[in-house]
């Protein structure tokens, strides 16, 4: 609670990236207080802080996240889904972008809403490039949008990995609000708002429910081995009958097979497919899972 009061009073100390660091901590604290009414109403400082940000960009982002969570978790008619999607878009448009971390937030939210309604393949090439750029940005520059972008980008590039220490050091020129040209990342990680950093880098606490939906969704289906040879295993739990579809790099469907459903692992033969990178889509009723599959068949 003491640390929360320091953030609320804007007295938290930051070594580097103090502008973005303060913004991220402020947003994290607002989200926590929004979830815990008893905590904020039991502390006058925290209650005043929460109310002061209700009508700010941070409050608007909180509303947008809640609306996006509803879209990702939606189960119902297509007409109702369109309504939920439009609400999420409207909430996102209420965010007035002033800084790079706010601009990134609105861009990733817009892409997330589009993916939730139309699937990952609905993103344009320009949007995919932008998503990759944000995912590979130093979080202390791009803000919480970076943590949102990464699981979305993983739908297109499931093998991607990140080392934020190297990303932030390599992008030293981005540190427009640092104390000097030298970035002491070790000190930053050790001393700057430890509770926030733990939650932010481990996902998904500071980015709320809709990101949880993306992460959890990707964990519900396993497609392996990847790269594959003459077969691939598809593991899933508690599903109705489904469909597994492969498309090539220009979007042509090259393979389709039914999945029985229930708790199981199904082996699918790939022996008639040429080597290369494919996009897969697995559909169970209203649930859709997407990713990339590399086929390398040995002679």
């Amino acid at each position: 609670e003491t640390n929360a009061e320091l953030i609320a009073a804007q007295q938290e100390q930051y070594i580097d990236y103090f502008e973005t660091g303060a913004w991220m901590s402020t947003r994290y604290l607002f989200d926590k207080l929004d979830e815990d009414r008893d905590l904020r109403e039991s502390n006058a400082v925290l209650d005043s802080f929460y109310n002061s940000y209700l009508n700010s960009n941070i409050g608007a982002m909180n509303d947008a996240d809640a609306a996006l969570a509803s879209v990702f978790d939606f189960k119902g008619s297509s007409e109702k889904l369109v309504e939920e999607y439009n609400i999420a878009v409207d909430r996102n448009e209420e965010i007035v972008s002033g800084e790079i971390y706010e601009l990134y937030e609105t861009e990733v939210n817009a892409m997330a809403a589009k993916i939730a309604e139309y699937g990952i393949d609905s993103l344009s090439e320009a949007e995919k490039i932008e998503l990759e750029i944000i995912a590979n940005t130093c979080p202390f520059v791009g803000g919480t949008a970076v943590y949102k972008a990464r699981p979305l980008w993983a739908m297109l590039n499931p093998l991607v990995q990140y080392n934020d220490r190297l990303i932030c050091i390599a992008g030293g020129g981005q540190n427009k609000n640092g104390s000097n040209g030298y970035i002491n990342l070790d000190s930053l990680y050790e001393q700057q708002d430890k509770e926030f950093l733990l939650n932010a880098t481990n996902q998904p606490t500071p980015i709320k429910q809709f990101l949880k939906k993306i992460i959890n969704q990707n964990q519900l289906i396993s497609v392996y081995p990847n790269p594959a040879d003459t077969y691939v295993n598809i593991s899933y739990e508690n599903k109705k009958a489904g469909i597994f579809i492969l498309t090539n790099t220009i979007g042509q469907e090259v393979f389709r097979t039914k999945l029985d459903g229930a708790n199981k692992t199904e082996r699918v033969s790939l022996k008639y497919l040429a080597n290369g990178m494919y996009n897969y889509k697995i559909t169970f009723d209203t649930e859709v899972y997407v990713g990339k599959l590399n086929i390398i068949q040995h002679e």
Side-chain angles (χ1 to χ4, degrees), residues 3-127:
N3 190 53
E5 290 178 350
L6 288 174
I7 295 172
Q10 297 185 337
Q11 295 177 351
E12 183 69 18
Q13 299 298 309
Y14 302 90
I15 299 170
D16 283 294
Y17 300 100
F18 51 81
E19 180 183 315
T20 309
W23 180 86
M24 292 172 75
S25 294
T26 298
R27 185 169 179 212
Y28 170 61
L29 178 58
F30 181 89
D31 285 357
K32 295 296 290 184
L33 294 176
D34 187 67
E35 296 170 353
D36 193 341
R37 181 175 180 177
D38 291 339
L39 174 61
R40 70 175 187 259
E41 293 186 348
S42 66
N43 185 306
V45 173
L46 298 183
D47 191 45
S48 175
F49 163 87
Y50 175 79
N51 289 322
S52 69
Y53 279 95
L54 268 176
N55 296 317
S56 71
N57 264 354
I58 286 177
M61 289 175 188
N62 181 282
D63 291 340
D65 282 354
L68 283 163
S70 297
V71 176
F72 271 94
D73 199 34
F74 183 79
K75 291 181 176 61
S77 68
S78 57
E79 291 80 8
K80 184 63 177 176
L81 176 58
V82 171
E83 291 180 19
E84 295 291 332
Y85 168 80
N86 288 334
I87 290 173
V89 171
D90 290 343
R91 293 290 181 272
N92 190 49
E93 290 178 350
E94 292 173 2
I95 302 170
V96 181
S97 303
E99 301 292 341
I100 187 68
Y101 41 82
E102 294 173 333
L103 177 62
Y104 279 175
E105 193 86 13
T106 59
E107 290 179 348
V108 174
N109 284 351
M111 286 185 276
K114 192 174 181 180
I115 291 169
E117 171 135 6
Y118 303 109
I120 191 70
D121 293 336
S122 66
L123 294 185
S124 67
E125 289 305 312
E127 288 172 325

Side-chain angles (χ1 to χ4, degrees), residues 103-261:
L103 177 62
Y104 279 175
E105 193 86 13
T106 59
E107 290 179 348
V108 174
N109 284 351
M111 286 185 276
K114 192 174 181 180
I115 291 169
E117 171 135 6
Y118 303 109
I120 191 70
D121 293 336
S122 66
L123 294 185
S124 67
E125 289 305 312
E127 288 172 325
K128 291 176 183 177
I129 292 171
E130 182 68 14
L131 186 62
E132 182 180 14
I133 290 172
I134 296 173
N136 284 281
T137 297
C138 173
F140 297 105
V141 174
T144 50
V146 175
Y147 300 117
K148 287 182 174 182
R150 288 177 177 177
L152 294 174
W153 178 241
M155 292 181 177
L156 293 164
N157 187 357
L159 302 180
V160 67
Q161 295 182 346
Y162 304 97
N163 185 325
D164 283 334
R165 180 172 275 99
L166 294 179
I167 290 173
C168 292
I169 290 174
Q174 301 177 88
N175 187 16
K176 70 183 182 67
N177 50 34
S179 55
N180 52 51
Y182 173 70
I183 305 170
N184 187 341
L185 266 239
D186 288 325
S187 295
L188 183 68
Y189 275 94
E190 290 171 6
Q191 298 181 40
Q192 178 180 313
D193 192 1
K194 294 179 182 179
E195 181 183 0
F196 167 74
L197 286 174
L198 176 63
N199 286 280
T201 53
N202 283 330
Q203 300 182 21
T205 301
I207 48 185
K208 292 187 69 64
Q209 295 177 348
F210 101 87
L211 183 52
K212 292 180 185 178
K213 302 301 179 184
I214 304 170
I215 294 171
N216 290 341
Q217 186 184 70
N218 287 338
Q219 292 174 343
L220 292 175
I221 296 289
S222 295
V223 178
Y224 62 93
N226 192 358
D229 189 347
T230 57
Y231 70 90
V232 67
N233 294 311
I234 304 173
S235 295
Y236 51 88
E237 296 182 357
N238 301 318
K239 304 297 180 188
K240 297 179 181 179
I243 300 173
F244 175 69
I245 298 172
L246 288 177
T247 56
N248 60 23
T249 55
I250 60 174
Q252 296 172 324
E253 182 177 320
V254 296
F255 181 81
R256 172 187 292 249
T257 189
K258 292 182 179 179
L259 301 174
D260 294 339

